Amino acid sequence: CYGFAYNISKGLVPYRDFNMIITPLYSFSGSLFIKIFGNHLFSVHIFNALFLALFVTVGYKVLNKKIFILWLLSLSILYPSYNTFCVLIFCFFLFLYNKKFKHKDFVLGLIIACLFLSKQTLGILILPLLFFSKDRIKCLIGFLFPCLIFLIYLIYFKL
């Protein structure tokens, strides 16, 4: 994962200049930290520490003190990678799903798009979200907006 983020920070384009199987949202996010903190593996560790801290914070809002048990279990099982990044995004989705706020369907669609852009197989979650959504159009627009930006990125770099 560090290699992908490093390549992106150096201006290389995923899929054209180097091979990737996953969609590169996690690598793009990690490359921002490499740009900010320098071309060191330590920069990606800072990124991973921040998103694991965010995981615990969001989890605490949902599960209260039970999150610390889950966090200890996750330390033994999960190594910070795009899979853990997806778990964080999904926990954020679960946190927001039961909340009431304006443009909820659009935001939940954005979150599912981030899951899709981190790991393609999780994009299937848009189907149940569309089924249970009150405003399916907003939900679909929220999902398609980041996906279209990524598609435009790929077309721009002639992939």
Side-chain angles (χ1 to χ4, degrees), residues 14-132:
Y15 309 117
R16 185 187 71 188
D17 298 329
F18 60 95
N19 292 330
M20 287 184 78
I21 295 174
I22 60 170
T23 44
L25 181 64
Y26 177 77
S27 300
F28 275 116
S29 303
S31 72
L32 292 174
F33 278 80
I34 289 175
K35 288 259 188 207
I36 294 169
F37 296 107
N39 295 329
H40 309 287
L41 181 59
F42 190 74
S43 302
V44 176
H45 288 309
I46 291 171
F47 170 64
N48 290 331
L50 285 175
F51 86 75
L52 285 174
L54 187 62
F55 169 72
V56 172
T57 304
V58 170
Y60 187 79
K61 298 271 187 192
V62 175
L63 298 173
N64 295 327
K65 293 183 180 183
K66 295 175 192 170
I67 188 61
F68 296 112
I69 296 169
L70 182 63
W71 178 67
L72 288 172
L73 287 172
S74 71
L75 284 179
S76 64
I77 298 170
L78 299 173
Y79 180 76
S81 67
Y82 69 93
N83 288 320
T84 313
F85 189 66
C86 289
V87 170
L88 168 68
I89 294 171
F90 190 70
C91 286
F92 193 60
F93 173 83
L94 292 176
F95 175 69
L96 291 178
Y97 187 76
N98 292 325
K99 301 289 180 188
K100 293 186 181 196
F101 56 93
K102 193 174 183 181
H103 308 297
K104 175 182 173 181
D105 294 320
F106 180 78
V107 171
L108 292 178
L110 281 173
I111 293 172
I112 296 296
C114 289
L115 279 171
F116 174 70
L117 293 175
S118 299
K119 189 170 182 170
Q120 303 95 327
T121 55
L122 295 177
I124 194 73
L125 293 175
I126 191 64
L127 296 177
L129 182 61
L130 284 173
F131 184 75
F132 292 110

